[in-house]
């Protein structure tokens, strides 16, 4: 059994949805995980905001626009009157709940319920489309088998039990939603933005799938950011660890949390392009091909905190105190470097920054640099290649590097630079990739 997940861009128009149907129709035993079509979740975020601010007219007009968009999309896709009527009444039913939320006192509205509508609509449309085309499939609702606990984690054992009961042996294709789930109180919840990839890999792990395919609109992981660097190339093979570093540090193609379940279950992940299905994409598995530097990824919006304390001198326990503060405010630290008198560390979630700094100031002096970027350079045994660090730093000799992290893992060097230097940095570093391209492309 395989799990195939199609992202919003693979479902953003009638033409693209028909391509997905073609891909799916060739499968004999699979679970299809669907994101919301195109930009829908962003639109639902805006509707949520308008409702919570009590801007009823704005909310209503956005709801109306989105609803007519889905009716038009269904009209383009579904040709049989009976099925078209079926999907329009389903859309009406889903939107009625949104319309009702505008009427309610805004403080009672439920954001996660609003955000869930995108996946509920895309799965409804796709199921009816397959039925119209006589493709044997069964819909199973993610709300019936994915549940988070009080730590906001999915209980895999319970998920395995629930999904196994829903699987119908006579159905070659099962369709479900990505992203959405229930919380411990049985309220609609989600796995955070971009979380459909995580749904797919959780299902793979729960059911021991043969592989997980993540279908997007690009030929797999690229060796640099194609938005800012010309002539980037797909990387054909990556290990789970390399992919996790790239996904976490900026490569947008898949959600970082989605690697872990597949790594645990030793389930290969294939990244494929629904607009170019013949391309072989990127395969992520326990095998990797040897090459020095494979890829560069970058993530903006990083904040660096410098924590200085004379009490650090020959003292123990200072780092523990600092980490406890970040723990208390549930803020993850990405990069860290220390000296005898100071620590610099980076975070990307600043929602609790004020509280963190207040506490840190009780034991130290702090300085904060906003608008930084992490540049992540990934390759095999990067720390066991003499001369590699020299090569990297000689390519960026004109750039002011704020922090360096090297040796944390065998396959990653991370740097922090000013966000305004990011594009120059990743373009300069691109020269380090040259010998790699031939090696990774010829590897089978
Ligand atoms: N639709 C959700 C989002 O846009 C989940 C996903 O696409 O993975 O974040
Ligand atoms: Mg995504």
């Amino acid at each position: 059994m395989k799990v195939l997940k199609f992202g919003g861009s693979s479902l953003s128009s009638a033409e693209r949805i028909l391509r997905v149907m073609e891909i799916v129709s060739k499968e004999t035993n699979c679970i299809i995980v669907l994101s919301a079509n195109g930009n829908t979740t962003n639109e639902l975020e805006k509707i949520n905001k308008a409702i919570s601010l009590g801007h009823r007219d704005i909310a209503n007009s956005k709801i109306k626009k989105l609803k007519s968009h889905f009716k038009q999309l269904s009209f383009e896709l579904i040709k049989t009157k009976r099925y078209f009527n079926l999907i329009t009444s389903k859309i009406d039913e889903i939107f009625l709940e949104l319309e009702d939320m505008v009427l309610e006192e805004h403080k009672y509205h439920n954001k996660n319920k609003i955000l869930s509508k995108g996946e509920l609509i895309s799965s409804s449309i796709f199921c009816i489309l397959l039925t119209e085309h006589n493709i044997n499939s069964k819909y199973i609702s993610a709300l019936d088998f994915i549940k988070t606990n009080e730590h906001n984690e999915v209980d895999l054992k319970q998920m395995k039990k629930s999904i196994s009961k829903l699987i119908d042996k006579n159905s070659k294709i099962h369709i479900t939603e990505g992203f959405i789930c229930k919380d411990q109180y049985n309220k609609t919840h989600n796995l955070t933005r971009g979380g459909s990839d995580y749904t797919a890999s959780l299902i793979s792990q729960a059911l021991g799938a043969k592989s997980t395919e993540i279908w997007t609109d690009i030929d797999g992981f690229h060796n640099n950011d194609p938005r800012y660097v010309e002539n980037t190339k797909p990387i054909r093979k990556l290990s789970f660890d390399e992919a996790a570093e790239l996904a976490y540090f900026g490569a947008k193609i898949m959600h970082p949390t989605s690697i872990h379940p597949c790594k645990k279950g030793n389930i290969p992940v294939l990244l494929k392009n629904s607009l170019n299905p013949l391309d072989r994409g990127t395969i992520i598995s326990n095998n990797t091909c040897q090459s020095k530097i494979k890829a560069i990824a970058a993530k903006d919006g990083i904040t660096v905190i410098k924590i200085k304390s004379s009490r650090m001198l020959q003292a123990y326990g200072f780092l523990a105190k600092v980490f406890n503060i970040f723990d208390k405010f549930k803020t993850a630290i990405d990069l860290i470097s220390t000296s005898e008198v100071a620590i610099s560390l980076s975070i990307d979630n600043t929602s609790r920054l004020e509280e963190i700094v207040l506490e840190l100031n009780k034991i130290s002096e702090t300085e904060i640099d906003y608008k930084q970027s992490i540049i992540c350079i990934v390759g095999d045994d990067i720390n066991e290649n003499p001369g590699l660090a020299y090569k990297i730093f000689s390519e960026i000799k004109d750039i002011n590097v704020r922090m360096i992290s090297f040796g944390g893992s065998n396959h990653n060097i991370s740097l922090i630079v000013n966000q305004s230097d990011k594009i120059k940095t990743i373009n300069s570093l691109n020269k380090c990739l040259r010998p790699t391209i031939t090696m990774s492309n010829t590897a089978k």
Side-chain angles (χ1 to χ4, degrees), residues 50-51 53-61 102-106:
I51 298 178
L53 293 171
H55 297 163
R56 290 186 178 177
D57 289 348
I58 298 178
N60 275 328
S61 97
V102 183
L103 298 176
E104 280 171 25
E105 266 299 308
H106 57 264

Side-chain angles (χ1 to χ4, degrees), residues 138-243:
K138 185 187 173 202
Y139 166 70
I140 53 176
S141 170
L143 298 176
D144 291 336
F145 64 86
I146 308 191
K147 205 169 170 158
T148 54
N149 60 21
E150 66 274 28
H151 307 295
N152 215 10
E153 286 160 358
V154 175
D155 178 347
L156 200 76
K157 258 196 192 154
Q158 128 100 44
M159 176 178 168
K160 189 175 172 168
K161 252 196 210 159
S162 321
I163 193 170
S164 302
K165 279 189 211 147
L166 297 170
I167 300 285
D168 176 354
K169 298 242 152 47
N170 298 320
S171 222
K172 61 174 196 158
I173 298 168
H174 287 80
I175 297 164
T176 192
E177 302 89 0
F179 180 55
I180 63 174
C181 62
K182 286 271 173 88
D183 69 8
Q184 83 233 60
Y185 308 109
N186 244 1
K187 278 173 70 181
T188 304
H189 193 53
N190 62 58
L191 303 173
T192 74
R193 292 297 309 269
S196 296
D197 299 338
Y198 190 40
T199 306
S201 58
L202 284 171
I203 295 176
S204 292
Q205 192 190 0
L207 296 177
K210 196 171 79 188
S211 65
T212 310
E213 296 182 4
I214 306 282
W215 289 77
T216 64
D217 58 355
I218 185 166
D219 298 336
F221 259 118
H222 273 224
N223 59 3
N224 207 330
D225 194 328
R227 289 168 301 176
Y228 309 109
V229 180
E230 279 178 23
N231 299 324
T232 60
K233 299 266 183 334
I235 316 163
R236 298 311 183 177
K237 280 187 174 187
L238 281 172
S239 68
F240 287 117
D241 290 343
E242 289 167 335

Side-chain angles (χ1 to χ4, degrees), residues 44 47-49 51-52 97-98 100-102 104-117 181-183 185-190:
L44 292 167
I47 290 170
N48 169 65
K49 197 168 170 205
I51 298 178
S52 61
E97 232 188 314
L98 284 181
D100 280 351
M101 278 190 225
V102 183
E104 280 171 25
E105 266 299 308
H106 57 264
K107 53 179 177 265
Y108 296 121
H109 87 278
N110 177 343
K111 175 177 180 181
N112 291 336
K113 207 159 195 186
I114 296 178
L115 294 192
S116 72
K117 302 298 181 197
C181 62
K182 286 271 173 88
D183 69 8
Y185 308 109
N186 244 1
K187 278 173 70 181
T188 304
H189 193 53
N190 62 58

